[in-house]
Amino acid sequence: MAASANSFLVGNNTQIPALKPRSTSQSLLHLSKPNTMSLAGKTKPVAVRCVASSTTQVQDGVRSGSVGSQERVFNFAAGPATLPENVLLKAQADLYNWRGSGMSVMEMSHRGKEFLSIIQKAESDLRQLWEIPQEYSVLFLQGGATTQFAALPLNLCEPDDTVDFVVTGSWGDKAAKEAKKYCKTNVIWSGKSEKYTKVPSFDELEQSPDAKYLHICANETIHGVEFKDYPVPKNGILVADMSSNFCSKPVDVSKFGVIYGGAQKNVGPSGVTIVVIRKDLIGNAQGITPVMLDYKIHDENSSLYNTPPCFGIYMCGLVFEDLLEQGGLKEVEKKNQRKADLLYNAIEESKGFYRCPVEKSVRSLMNVPFTLEKSELEAEFIKEAAKEKMVQLKGHRSVGGMRASIYNAMPLAGVEKLVAFMKDFQAKHA
């Protein structure tokens, strides 16, 4: 029996189908060396052959269309979220043998020269994207942004110090509750009574005169509320959770003492947390601070105190490269604005069939929540959209409705297809 191009041939008469590789316009993976497999105590020759090719189209710096024999869906998940296809394909090309090193990134030592070059370039490219001043450190950590809810007060204040919080959604609320274990917290504004649909006027904020820092969540993933400008602390520093709009637009880093975020929404896979912190804020951790939450430890060891999430950092590095190749964050913001305008306009032009509860001036460019006038149709909307290869549109369990997360890697074609579907769905059910 002859083996197909995508199968394992065991012995002379057993053919085992293999997963078809996603392919690019180039041949990415060609394994034809003889191998062996043990069956019933006997060693049998195994021929492995994986060769495929196809064509993908590039739009707005993101490849779209089918890859290999399987068409990719438009994934509107809030996180982990869609990644740029050209980044995935590049990682696929290097997966088996990274740049002639003879090993995968997943196999190499985090202290070897190969990985050191990866993490150093990732940091360098991020610094270029955000124009990060030299007086700031960049840390690649683990534990998600949620771990930073504790790490921040442990590193920046003493138990009797006060920290101010502006709470514009669920994540800001969780950050305040966690910090309360390690310092005194003061929620100087909360949008909970209005179901988290706005950002306060900064003039009305009654900040604590002795606050060590003022904390905000720059973009609330669940509720779709985004700061378009930032408050100025009367005392202390500004700290921002930017998990869901990280690298979606230019940011003046010098306005902040700390910026942090999980990578899994906009710049990489889950498992990496990035902290950008002013260096003079490092080295004052409380005595009870666990070693893995001490910024000084990670800064002194260049994010290599223990084994970091190597492959995740590598993927972030590829995303940073991709963003630079697109022309930097000013260009990326223009594309994000165009996508968001298209979707929000469709909602507004539906005459109430679709509704977005968020105040127009602070609607997120990344996470677009909306409901249907007839709530009983929402389940059908999600089901029918999935049939059209648009997935993960169900809103967060705490708020319901729908939510379209349209991060950097979501191509314009994905939003155009969603808007066309929304109009068709309305025509059928209005």
Side-chain angles (χ1 to χ4, degrees):
M1 181 185 293
S4 70
N6 296 294
S7 65
F8 293 99
L9 183 60
V10 183
N12 295 320
N13 55 9
T14 305
Q15 185 170 331
I16 305 174
L19 289 176
K20 294 181 179 180
R22 298 194 186 283
S23 56
T24 68
S25 55
Q26 299 177 340
S27 176
L28 296 181
L29 180 61
H30 189 146
L31 308 180
S32 56
K33 294 189 299 181
N35 228 319
T36 58
M37 178 181 291
S38 178
L39 292 176
K42 298 181 179 180
T43 300
K44 299 287 186 179
V46 179
V48 181
R49 186 179 173 214
C50 300
V51 181
S53 64
S54 71
T55 302
T56 58
Q57 295 180 338
V58 179
Q59 176 182 327
D60 286 345
V62 181
R63 299 197 182 205
S64 60
S66 62
V67 181
S69 61
Q70 298 179 359
E71 184 181 350
R72 283 174 58 82
V73 299
F74 287 118
N75 177 12
F76 292 93
T82 189
L83 286 164
E85 284 194 19
N86 50 323
V87 165
L88 292 173
L89 293 166
K90 192 170 185 179
Q92 181 192 46
D94 284 339
L95 182 64
Y96 180 68
N97 184 351
W98 183 79
R99 299 187 182 180
S101 66
M103 55 187 162
S104 171
V105 174
M106 291 186 285
E107 301 171 302
M108 60 182 56
S109 168
H110 63 290
R111 303 195 188 281
K113 63 180 182 180
E114 294 87 0
F115 183 73
L116 288 178
S117 70
I118 289 172
I119 193 171
Q120 288 167 2
K121 187 175 189 306
E123 178 180 339
S124 176
D125 285 350
L126 177 57
R127 284 184 177 276
Q128 184 178 345
L129 279 167
W130 255 359
E131 299 180 358
I132 299 174
Q134 285 304 309
E135 58 266 27
Y136 285 75
S137 289
V138 175
L139 308 177
F140 293 97
L141 307 177
Q142 303 181 63
T146 302
T147 300
Q148 298 307 309
F149 297 166
L152 286 160
L154 284 169
N155 280 272
L156 302 181
C157 32
E158 296 296 331
D160 291 333
D161 288 336
T162 299
V163 174
D164 285 345
F165 286 82
V166 175
V167 177
T168 53
S170 296
W171 293 110
D173 182 58
K174 289 180 179 180
K177 288 177 178 176
E178 182 70 4
K180 194 172 184 178
K181 300 174 184 178
Y182 309 106
C183 65
K184 294 179 180 179
T185 57
N186 183 21
V187 177
I188 60 176
W189 189 89
S190 173
K192 188 174 183 179
S193 63
E194 298 178 75
K195 298 184 178 180
Y196 298 128
T197 55
K198 60 184 292 187
V199 169
S201 166
F202 300 153
D203 293 336
E204 69 183 71
L205 298 177
E206 296 184 9
Q207 299 184 40
S208 304
D210 57 347
K212 280 289 185 176
Y213 63 89
L214 171 61
H215 182 282
I216 64 170
C217 179
N219 186 82
E220 283 284 353
T221 319
I222 294 174
H223 296 90
V225 177
E226 183 174 19
F227 281 79
K228 304 302 180 180
D229 197 5
Y230 306 104
V232 177
K234 290 182 179 178
N235 188 55
I237 60 169
L238 183 60
V239 173
D241 175 357
M242 292 192 180
S243 292
S244 52
N245 64 351
F246 201 97
C247 282
S248 65
K249 59 184 179 181
V251 171
D252 183 354
V253 174
S254 66
K255 289 184 176 181
F256 301 85
V258 184
I259 296 172
Y260 67 99
Q264 72 276 7
K265 300 177 185 299
N266 227 4
V267 294
S270 59
V272 181
T273 307
I274 301 173
V275 174
V276 179
I277 179 171
R278 213 172 66 201
K279 291 181 179 180
D280 64 302
L281 300 173
I282 298 173
N284 302 300
Q286 294 182 31
I288 64 169
T289 305
V291 66
M292 288 303 293
L293 299 189
D294 190 335
Y295 294 147
K296 182 180 179 182
I297 294 293
H298 294 293
D299 185 49
E300 290 178 341
N301 289 276
S302 303
S303 302
L304 298 170
Y305 176 73
N306 73 329
T307 306
C310 297
F311 194 78
I313 293 170
Y314 159 71
M315 290 297 294
C316 288
L318 293 185
V319 171
F320 298 152
E321 282 183 8
D322 181 64
L323 295 175
L324 287 170
E325 288 170 1
Q326 290 185 51
L329 298 186
K330 287 183 180 180
E331 293 302 314
V332 170
E333 182 182 27
K334 290 177 185 177
K335 294 173 184 177
N336 288 332
Q337 186 70 58
R338 183 181 177 188
K339 292 183 294 183
D341 286 346
L342 182 64
L343 184 49
Y344 283 121
N345 287 341
I347 293 171
E348 293 301 313
E349 293 168 2
S350 72
K351 299 180 180 179
F353 187 83
Y354 301 104
R355 298 173 179 174
C356 175
V358 181
E359 189 177 278
K360 290 183 180 180
S361 63
V362 293
R363 287 178 173 176
S364 171
L365 297 189
M366 299 286 98
N367 310 101
V368 182
F370 61 98
T371 58
L372 266 66
E373 182 180 29
K374 301 175 182 179
S375 59
E376 65 272 15
L377 290 174
E378 291 177 357
E380 184 178 350
F381 179 96
I382 294 165
K383 181 179 178 181
E384 292 301 314
K387 290 180 180 178
E388 298 297 323
K389 297 188 181 298
M390 292 176 287
V391 301
Q392 299 296 324
L393 282 164
K394 187 175 182 180
H396 190 272
R397 60 186 180 277
S398 65
V399 297
M402 274 75 64
R403 174 179 55 180
S405 294
I406 50 175
Y407 298 123
N408 292 348
M410 173 57 66
L412 178 62
V415 180
E416 289 175 335
K417 184 173 182 178
L418 175 59
V419 166
F421 171 81
M422 291 168 66
K423 291 178 178 179
D424 184 59
F425 189 85
Q426 180 178 357
K428 291 178 180 178
H429 298 282

